[in-house]
């Protein structure tokens, strides 16, 4: 998918709400597009509340047939605890970024789902035998759709907490000032917890209605559903579970807005 050049879009403003990385693919793509980025980080990542279940499960990794990752952070949490991946363990991942993280760890993702955890579950039900043991290291707030689907298929899924996501101290006053400028056109959400954090901060600062007028670009149906439930009416879902895909959706939306604003208003009376 080709991203539009900065000169095609002009100076625009988009707020991102995830915990920024360095480098951060979404931030880099938006900068390439000439988009000004506001950092409304509403969540932060921490280690598991109790690290022992993850350590114990990984010590028994050779007793599992599958190791499933639905986030890059889960890969990051697991990698230091696995000296050698057992040859009998097959790895599955959601999206190109998680697949790349698996590859960076020295492993190979044999099954990759490109439309979220539920899509990966659909692929895995054709690969995982009933009775197979599946290890699922996940974030504390990760959806249960994938594991529920595999359990319904007859697999034995062991979910362990690999990390947890906590609300960050987002300054509602800053959100109110940014929204009051009238220049912010869209906001990105990569998790339901980010939606909740930003909405809470905006409500506390008295700018909840202004926030909900923005286009909300989300990764995955679960996050999009959370945005809709919190009152956003213009919600868009990226076709792939990646930050690059979010950037592509934003590029299309902003370019579309440019085309509409540049069209002549035939309803105007001639002077």
């Amino acid at each position: 998918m080709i991203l539009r050049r900065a000169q095609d879009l002009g100076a625009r403003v988009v707020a991102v709400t995830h915990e920024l990385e360095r480098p951060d693919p979404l931030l880099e793509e938006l900068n390439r597009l000439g988009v000004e980025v506001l950092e409304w980080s509403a969540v932060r990542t921490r280690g598991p509340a109790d690290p022992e279940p993850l350590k114990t499960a990984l010590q028994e990794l050779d007793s599992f047939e599958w190791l499933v990752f639905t986030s890059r952070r889960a890969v990051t949490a697991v990698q230091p605890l696995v000296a050698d991946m057992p040859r009998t363990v097959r790895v599955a991942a959601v999206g190109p970024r998680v697949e790349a993280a698996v590859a960076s760890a020295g492993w190979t993702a044999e099954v990759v789902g490109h439309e979220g955890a539920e899509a990966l579950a659909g692929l895995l039900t054709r690969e995982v035998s009933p009775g197979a043991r599946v290890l699922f290291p996940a974030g504390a707030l990760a959806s249960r759709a994938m594991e529920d689907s595999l359990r319904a298929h007859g697999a034995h899924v062991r979910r362990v907490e690999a990390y947890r996501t906590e609300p960050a101290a987002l300054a509602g006053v800053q959100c109110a000032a940014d929204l009051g400028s009238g220049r912010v056109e869209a906001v990105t959400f990569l998790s339901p917890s980010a939606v909740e954090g930003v909405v809470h901060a905006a409500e506390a600062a008295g700018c909840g209605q202004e926030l909900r007028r923005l286009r909300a670009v989300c990764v995955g149906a679960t996050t999009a559903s959370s945005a809709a439930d919190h009152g956003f009416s213009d919600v868009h879902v990226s076709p792939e579970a990646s930050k690059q895909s979010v950037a592509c959706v934003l590029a299309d939306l902003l370019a579309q807005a440019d085309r509409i604003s540049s069209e002549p208003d035939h309803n105007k009376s001639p002077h």
Side-chain angles (χ1 to χ4, degrees):
M1 192 178 294
I2 299 174
L3 294 172
R4 289 172 175 76
R5 296 169 296 174
Q7 55 264 40
D8 293 328
L9 294 177
R12 319 302 287 271
V13 181
V14 170
V16 299
T17 63
H18 60 283
E19 185 177 20
L20 293 177
E21 304 168 295
R22 293 292 187 269
D24 189 282
L26 178 54
L27 191 61
E28 289 180 346
E29 295 291 3
L30 291 177
N31 287 335
R32 263 181 55 189
L33 292 168
V35 175
E36 181 182 343
V37 178
L38 302 175
E39 299 184 14
W40 289 357
S41 300
V43 294
R44 60 185 177 184
T45 303
R46 295 288 183 265
D50 180 1
E52 290 307 314
L54 176 64
K55 292 180 181 178
T56 300
L58 293 174
Q59 289 169 356
E60 304 168 0
L61 187 55
D62 58 1
S63 68
F64 293 90
E65 283 85 4
W66 286 89
L67 177 60
V68 178
F69 293 110
T70 57
S71 73
R72 187 189 57 79
R73 294 191 185 280
V75 180
T76 302
V78 167
Q79 182 183 4
L81 302 176
V82 177
D84 295 296
M85 179 68 70
R87 294 183 178 181
T88 54
V89 176
R90 303 175 67 184
V91 179
V94 167
R97 291 201 71 227
V98 181
E99 180 184 16
V102 169
S104 295
W107 311 323
T108 300
E110 296 186 37
V111 178
V112 180
H114 291 282
E115 297 179 2
E118 292 185 36
L120 176 61
L123 294 174
L124 284 175
T125 54
R126 298 195 290 269
E127 297 284 340
V128 176
S129 303
R133 299 190 72 221
V134 178
L135 180 59
F136 179 35
L141 301 178
S143 168
R144 297 192 175 274
M146 192 277 300
E147 61 188 283
D148 288 346
S149 178
L150 290 178
R151 287 194 178 107
H153 181 65
H156 300 292
V157 182
R158 182 171 172 182
R159 174 173 173 151
V160 289
E161 183 179 303
Y163 63 95
R164 55 201 163 99
T165 303
E166 299 177 340
L170 176 63
V173 173
Q174 183 60 52
C175 287
D178 292 337
L179 289 167
S181 72
R183 296 181 59 225
V184 187
E185 296 187 52
V187 57
T188 66
F189 294 115
L190 304 188
S191 67
S193 56
V195 177
E196 294 170 7
V198 172
V199 169
H200 177 76
E203 289 286 3
C207 57
Q209 288 187 345
E210 290 84 353
L211 173 69
R212 292 181 177 90
R213 293 192 187 106
L214 301 181
R215 298 181 182 90
V217 182
C218 306
V219 165
T222 301
T223 302
S225 178
S226 178
D229 289 344
H230 281 83
F232 288 88
S233 58
D234 192 1
V235 180
H236 304 264
V237 185
S238 63
E240 296 181 357
S242 71
K243 293 179 179 179
Q244 292 90 337
S245 186
V246 171
C248 289
V249 172
L250 279 166
D252 287 339
L253 290 172
L254 296 178
Q256 182 182 18
D258 278 345
R259 287 194 297 270
I260 293 173
S261 64
S262 64
E263 289 177 356
D265 189 348
H266 297 292
N267 294 323
K268 290 181 179 180
S269 300
H271 295 291

